[in-house]
Amino acid sequence: MTIHFSAVGLVVTDLDRSFACYRVLGLDLPVEAPEVPHFEVTLPGGLRLMWDTVESVRSFDPKFEPSSGSGAALAFDCGSASAVDETHVALIDAGCTSTKAPWDAFWGQRYASVLDPDGHTLDLFAALPG
């Protein structure tokens, strides 16, 4: 038996709101979320990113309660320091909440963090010149 990492799943309350944030990050998602309880895309390299509504998860786990805050983060390489700043603003405009404004981190990256509408952490980064 061979086990391999295949997908990341997000549980969300509103697919449209979630999709608005993830489209800013370059994901090819429908402008209007389909009327389905589960949706997924395959990213370059084959990893899948999946969305399930709270109602969908509760259909098989009636006691499910979404977590508040996050223990894991999805990190996005924005390619340049200015793109980190621009993406941070665009995500705020799309409904995300800033938790760390863009800054030059001591480890050599421009870095920022936001929470998507369901509290999942999205980290933005780019290597600093030099």
Side-chain angles (χ1 to χ4, degrees):
M1 172 172 59
T2 302
I3 298 173
H4 69 278
F5 184 52
S6 176
V8 173
L10 303 173
V11 179
V12 302
T13 57
D14 184 323
L15 285 173
D16 284 317
R17 283 183 47 201
S18 185
F19 282 13
C21 292
Y22 288 88
R23 276 194 301 275
V24 169
L25 297 166
L27 275 67
D28 185 18
L29 297 168
V31 174
E32 291 186 25
E35 295 292 322
V36 296
H38 174 87
F39 188 85
E40 62 184 69
V41 295
T42 301
L43 305 173
L47 185 67
R48 293 175 299 140
L49 184 56
M50 308 178 303
W51 288 260
D52 286 284
T53 62
V54 171
E55 295 79 15
S56 173
V57 175
R58 285 186 180 148
S59 74
F60 60 85
D61 182 0
K63 295 180 182 179
F64 173 79
E65 289 297 326
S67 62
S68 61
S70 69
L74 302 179
F76 294 83
D77 186 343
C78 296
S80 71
S82 61
V84 169
D85 296 358
E86 293 163 9
T87 304
H88 183 264
V89 169
L91 286 169
I92 302 309
D93 291 345
C96 294
T97 303
S98 178
T99 57
K100 181 69 176 165
W103 64 294
D104 291 342
F106 61 87
W107 57 82
Q109 293 177 328
R110 183 73 172 166
Y111 212 88
S113 289
V114 302
L115 295 177
D116 76 7
D118 295 283
H120 303 111
T121 298
L122 304 175
D123 290 333
L124 313 172
F125 68 93
L128 291 169

